[in-house]
Amino acid sequence: MLVLLPPSEGKAASGRGAPLKPESLSLPGLADARAAVLDELVGLCAADQEKAREVLGLSEGLRGEIAKNVELRTAGTRPAGEIYTGVLYDALDLASLDAAAKRRAGKSLLVFSGLWGAVRVGDRIPSYRCSMGVKLPGLGALGAYWREPMARVMPEAAGDGLVLDLRSSAYTAAWKPKGGTAERTASVRVLHSQLVDGVEKRSVVSHFNKATKGRMVRDLLVSGARPEGPAELVEALRELGYVVEAEAPARAGRPWSLDVVVTEIH
């Protein structure tokens, strides 16, 4: 099973470990594309703070993020699973997993990134600021920039097993499964169900959407479930207590759509 995750907007501080070693990152087929984004991002932030703030979409209060980007090559690193924070990662709580679940996380979790393309949670990276929605002056919109290199490496990364896609829309732009890979892909959204004047109303609530996805991944890792495809994933999630509504694709070469329905927001 390969689980595709979005990164977090906010990130933990860079660690005290050795500086970035690009050759050590997973998916080495992305090395050239990563180097190009890194070069432009560092150069932009070092040359013109105001332009960098505009390009990165940062408020005045986040100006310090620009200095962070300038030091990307020399800053300390820590595992990506520690760099990414926020609601989804708090619920996932990688640090508290037992040894077996941590091994499964290292093999199955892949975090998409505007700067790195995608990294595994054990890859050592510095803290940075560069979302997939950024449009760099030289490379253009990163969602479009990453499509070609990701199309080359992702089929091999996905293998012949289940792909659980929990990315937000900005990150799905960088890679969309095709053919047989798409047919083994399950895209999940979380819906909040509540009664309003006796009528069920469903809505997407951003905070709880992220928290539920984090808990869902954690539960799958802890249980050791190994669903081979979307239908088996639905069964595994239901056994874990989730209310899941599944929609098989209408035609070949398309992913499954899964709704996880919740009644409480926390």
Side-chain angles (χ1 to χ4, degrees):
M1 177 174 66
L2 182 68
V3 182
L4 311 182
L5 297 174
S8 58
E9 192 70 17
K11 298 171 182 68
S14 295
R16 295 183 178 181
L20 175 70
K21 297 179 180 178
E23 69 278 5
S24 72
L25 299 179
S26 301
L27 306 182
L30 299 178
D32 290 345
R34 286 169 175 153
V37 179
L38 182 63
D39 285 347
E40 182 165 358
L41 182 62
V42 171
L44 170 69
C45 291
D48 189 333
Q49 281 200 2
E50 283 305 315
K51 184 176 182 180
R53 190 165 71 85
E54 179 182 347
V55 169
L56 296 175
L58 301 176
S59 66
E60 180 63 34
L62 292 174
R63 183 180 289 274
E65 299 292 282
I66 299 170
K68 180 191 295 185
N69 284 347
V70 173
E71 299 174 352
L72 283 172
R73 292 192 180 91
T74 58
T77 59
R78 61 172 65 184
E82 297 178 12
I83 289 289
Y84 296 117
T85 59
V87 176
L88 188 154
Y89 291 90
D90 285 348
L92 176 53
D93 196 7
L94 288 168
S96 69
L97 292 174
D98 63 36
K102 283 182 179 178
R103 286 194 296 271
R104 288 190 282 270
K107 293 178 180 178
S108 63
L109 305 188
L110 194 65
V111 184
F112 273 59
S113 162
L115 174 54
W116 313 114
V119 292
R120 297 195 183 275
V121 292
D123 289 342
R124 299 190 67 90
I125 58 173
S127 187
Y128 67 96
R129 189 69 172 234
C130 184
S131 71
M132 193 66 80
V134 163
K135 184 176 182 179
L136 292 175
L139 298 178
L142 290 177
Y145 170 80
W146 281 110
R147 285 174 196 158
E148 191 276 331
M150 296 301 286
R152 284 189 279 105
V153 304
M154 283 304 298
E156 180 179 354
D160 57 2
L162 168 70
V163 177
L164 174 53
D165 192 352
L166 303 178
R167 297 173 295 165
S168 53
S169 59
Y171 291 88
T172 60
W175 181 65
K176 295 183 179 180
K178 296 182 179 180
T181 304
E183 293 173 3
R184 299 190 303 275
T185 297
S187 178
V188 175
R189 66 176 180 172
V190 179
L191 298 178
H192 176 223
S193 172
Q194 57 184 330
L195 290 178
V196 179
D197 296 328
V199 178
E200 184 192 27
K201 301 290 185 180
R202 291 184 175 183
S203 60
V204 176
V205 182
S206 178
H207 176 96
F208 194 58
N209 173 57
K210 296 174 183 177
T212 301
K213 287 179 177 178
R215 284 193 290 269
M216 183 173 64
V217 174
R218 180 183 177 85
D219 288 344
L220 287 168
L221 292 171
V222 170
S223 72
R226 295 183 177 182
E228 296 180 357
E232 292 80 8
L233 173 65
V234 172
E235 182 178 345
L237 290 174
R238 287 173 176 166
E239 289 178 355
L240 289 168
Y242 291 90
V243 177
V244 183
E245 297 177 356
E247 183 179 341
R251 60 180 185 272
R254 301 296 297 273
W256 283 54
S257 297
L258 272 59
D259 286 341
V260 175
V261 183
V262 299
T263 57
E264 297 180 1
I265 296 179
H266 57 84

